[in-house]
């Protein structure tokens, strides 16, 4: 796929930086990555951030997407500036929208790459969850329910594919004995 024009990636994690760097590599004229907190609060690691900058990704922080503007196709995105507040339940600083601070960025493409979490609400009957909402397991992947093992994002929280596949292989080896 050839991607041209202005690309705006929304997010601050590894997936957002992968998307931004890929957009540059497949032909985007300009790539802007927008994140609601500061660089210090980004979940992506520092190497990813620095490599993206070296490849030409523009990073804007303390911005919250409000509206995608355009009829039949994207023309621009309206953002609102934010400021940091107190720590939230995860230990990260909250972002607070600032009144009368809207601005727009031209965009031909929008790539949302915001956080995700496994949806465990329909599979957790009889299981113990951690304070983060993941399934609690021992070092062998056993849950608190007899003969039920768990692995992957439901245990670790959001992770890379390679990490969860590796963990899945490890738990499968343990189960097979």
């Amino acid at each position: 796929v050839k991607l041209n024009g202005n690309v705006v990636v929304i997010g601050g994690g590894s997936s957002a930086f992968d998307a931004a760097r890929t957009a540059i590599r497949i032909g985007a004229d300009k790539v802007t990555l927008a994140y609601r907190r500061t660089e210090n609060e980004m979940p992506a690691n520092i190497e990813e951030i620095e490599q993206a900058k070296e490849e030409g990704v523009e990073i804007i922080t303390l911005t919250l997407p409000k509206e995608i503007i355009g009829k039949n196709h994207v023309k621009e995105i309206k953002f609102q500036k934010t400021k940091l507040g107190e720590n939230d339940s995860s230990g990260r600083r909250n972002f607070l929208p600032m009144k009368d601070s809207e601005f727009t960025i031209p965009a031909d493409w929008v790539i949302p790459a915001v956080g995700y979490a496994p949806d465990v609400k329909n599979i957790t009957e009889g299981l113990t969850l951690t304070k983060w909402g993941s399934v609690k397991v021992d070092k062998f992947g056993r849950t608190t329910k007899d003969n039920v093992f768990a692995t992957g994002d439901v245990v670790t929280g959001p992770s890379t594919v390679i990490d969860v596949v590796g963990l899945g292989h490890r738990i499968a080896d343990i189960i097979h004995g």
Side-chain angles (χ1 to χ4, degrees):
V1 173
K2 177 99 170 113
L3 193 65
N4 57 5
N6 295 317
V7 176
V8 176
V9 178
I10 300 169
S14 296
S15 296
F17 280 92
D18 288 347
R21 293 172 69 196
T22 299
I24 290 261
R25 294 172 189 170
I26 62 173
D29 297 326
K30 180 178 181 184
V31 176
T32 304
L33 185 139
Y35 185 59
R36 61 190 175 196
R37 293 182 175 101
T38 68
E39 265 187 43
N40 290 336
E41 283 79 29
M42 285 181 171
N45 67 48
I46 192 74
E47 290 84 16
E48 288 177 296
I49 297 169
E50 292 306 317
Q51 289 168 355
K53 288 178 182 176
E54 288 171 12
E55 288 189 53
V57 174
E58 178 186 349
I59 299 171
I60 59 170
T61 58
L62 297 170
T63 58
L64 182 65
K66 299 296 286 179
E67 181 182 2
I68 296 175
I69 300 167
K71 206 171 200 168
N72 300 325
H73 64 277
V74 179
K75 292 231 183 244
E76 58 188 4
I77 302 176
K78 182 187 288 184
F79 287 93
Q80 183 175 17
K81 291 183 180 182
T82 62
K83 63 182 178 180
L84 294 179
E86 299 298 317
N87 288 355
D88 63 17
S89 61
S90 73
R92 294 169 65 203
R93 292 181 69 187
N94 273 324
F95 59 93
L96 305 168
M98 296 173 61
K99 189 175 179 170
D100 299 323
S101 64
E102 287 84 11
F103 65 99
T104 61
I105 295 176
D108 300 296
W109 303 88
V110 179
I111 303 173
V114 294
Y116 69 94
D119 182 0
V120 297
K121 67 180 171 280
N122 293 321
I123 63 167
T124 57
E125 185 176 327
L127 301 179
T128 301
L129 300 180
T130 67
K131 66 180 179 180
W132 300 282
S134 59
V135 175
K136 183 177 182 179
V137 297
D138 66 12
K139 66 181 180 178
F140 303 109
R142 293 182 297 218
T143 68
T144 52
K145 191 172 184 179
D146 286 342
N147 299 316
V148 176
F149 290 76
T151 187
D153 285 1
V154 298
V155 172
T156 63
S159 189
T160 65
V161 171
I162 200 76
D163 288 343
V164 295
V165 168
L167 187 57
H169 283 288
R170 186 175 148 265
I171 298 304
D173 287 344
I174 290 169
I175 292 170
H176 286 287

